[in-house]
Amino acid sequence: MSTPPLEPTLRHLENLSQTLEPNFAERALVQTAVEQYLQSFLTQLPSLPSYTAQPEMGGGLLESPIAEEPVPVEEALQLLKTQVDTPGLNPASAGHMGYIPGGGLYYAGLGDYLAAVTNRYAGLFYSAPGAVRMENMLLRWMAGIIGFPEDAAGNLTSGGSIASLIALATARDAHQISAALIPKAVVYTTAHAHHCLDKALRIAGLGECPVRHIAMDAQFRLRPDALEETIAQDKSAGFTPWIIIASAGTTDVGAVDPLPQIATIAQRHQLWFHVDAAYGGFFALAPSGLPILKGIEQADSVVMDPHKGLFIPYGLGAVLIKNRQQLAHTHHYQANYMQDTLSATEEASPADLSPELSKHFRGLRLWLPLKLHGVAAFRSALEEKLLLAQYAYQRLQELKSFETPVVPALSVVIFRYLPSEGFDANTFNQRLIRAVQVDGRVFLSSTMLGNNFMLRMAILSFRTHQTTVDLALQILQEKATELEENWQE
């Protein structure tokens, strides 16, 4: 039985698949519609809510399932507007002061667009030498910001979680923490360390390591004396201390641990010193931020997120590690089908320094705004955020009935309202934060400090200025007064 010719089928399939390659006119039509959508969003942004509560929570997307046939771009953008860009948080808003990531620069979006269309594979120097040079240049620039040596290695990651995983896996191998040692290999940090670090320890096979939460001072910073004492006790008890994890900007209150003293302890006991500066690291660019981060240069590894302190859209973290040989040892791989790439070794390949093989060209979303804005603009914006936090802290101290137990180290302000006698403070502040969020003009968040329900103002969007902080304080006063006047159990 003869095999039917393939040519007719191939031609038919080719004709159908050609729709994946729109022509110039088709591309221009869709691009114009998308750009008009974005320009309209940015124009309206100052008046858009920071938070919108919608009962359906984007459920309208399910009424337009993925189908065989295409829809017009206008229909797709309308779904995007009503079901994705309207409900929930609006992190692009100046009034988004609930969580850390800061704004989403327009030029970074253009960088992503360029990277996606040109589709360079930025995992190997052989395949995209310019892309890899760009990313490594950015990492060397970051190393210079925090005082790391020029030959430090690193990786641009999707965020602080993967960056932390890379750092902790590297530290694990540097200290030869094998399976047999894990039950007695001790990790030192505080209860305010970011939860992604616990997650990274577990994923790296270190979930059974004893974790000591070192006591903190009144400003929620790790106490060096307590750290020293705990290490000594563990050594006497036959445990193996191996890593100290300090914070340069905690999530709850923005605290910066005493890095110089911790570094001294780490060196004395020959422990790996890791600093989680995902939030705070880029404040080293600001004149008043650099002294706060003194000691970070003595770390063995540091995580710092451009999608926080450099206002880049979600999806860009970074890890820096002094021992580049150890980083490569932990993450390097070889495969027969990649043998052609081995001749290009002028720059370290990102795929050899992280868990990722298939890798988006993330560097372009940072390089383009840095080139088009210049570093001075970022430096000024970061200094402004530090001063805005001090301004908000001072204003809250002046306002009646607000308690501010923590002096802002960076740009997080922690506070609560102390209602009149007869009100439970925790219940009152729970209702207060809900009232502020439902109002939607600004978005603040909450946390617990001990048994106290506290409110948080995290000031890091490049769009947040004094008028935004003043509006937040005005809304807080308005809602607190309304709650006291209309209180019902």
Side-chain angles (χ1 to χ4, degrees), residues 21-36 73-74 77 113:
E21 184 71 275
N23 61 35
F24 178 84
E26 293 167 331
R27 293 196 302 268
L29 179 69
V30 172
Q31 186 177 35
T32 298
V34 169
E35 187 60 28
Q36 287 176 345
V73 64
E74 293 79 11
L77 291 175
Y113 172 61

Side-chain angles (χ1 to χ4, degrees), residues 128-263:
V132 172
R133 282 193 191 278
M134 179 185 291
E135 295 203 347
N136 287 346
M137 179 181 73
L138 289 167
L139 289 162
R140 287 191 288 268
W141 174 71
M142 293 180 201
I145 290 172
I146 62 169
F148 260 37
E150 189 174 328
D151 63 348
N155 192 259
L156 293 182
T157 69
S158 59
S161 294
I162 298 301
S164 297
L165 176 61
I166 292 170
L168 296 184
T170 304
R172 174 201 63 200
D173 294 349
H175 281 256
Q176 300 179 338
I177 306 299
S178 63
L181 294 177
I182 285 174
K184 286 186 173 293
V186 187
V187 178
Y188 301 90
T189 187
T190 73
H192 277 201
H194 197 279
H195 64 272
C196 78
L197 291 156
D198 287 327
K199 187 176 180 180
L201 286 168
R202 188 177 72 247
I203 295 171
L206 301 166
E208 295 180 9
C209 284
V211 177
R212 309 289 191 233
H213 287 156
I214 304 302
M216 296 178 284
D217 64 17
Q219 296 297 302
F220 298 92
R221 299 169 299 201
L222 183 149
R223 282 176 41 201
D225 62 326
L227 174 63
E228 185 78 72
E229 181 180 349
T230 305
I231 292 172
Q233 290 173 349
D234 281 334
K235 284 186 170 182
S236 297
F239 287 90
T240 304
W242 70 282
I243 187 170
I244 304 170
I245 301 174
S247 296
T250 58
T251 302
D252 283 290
V253 304
V256 177
D257 289 329
L259 304 179
Q261 296 94 316
I262 297 172

Side-chain angles (χ1 to χ4, degrees), residues 355-371:
E356 287 187 297
L357 300 183
S358 296
K359 181 186 178 301
H360 174 55
F361 179 19
R362 298 189 184 99
L364 197 47
R365 60 163 36 198
L366 176 57
W367 180 85
L368 190 64
L370 283 172
K371 297 297 285 186

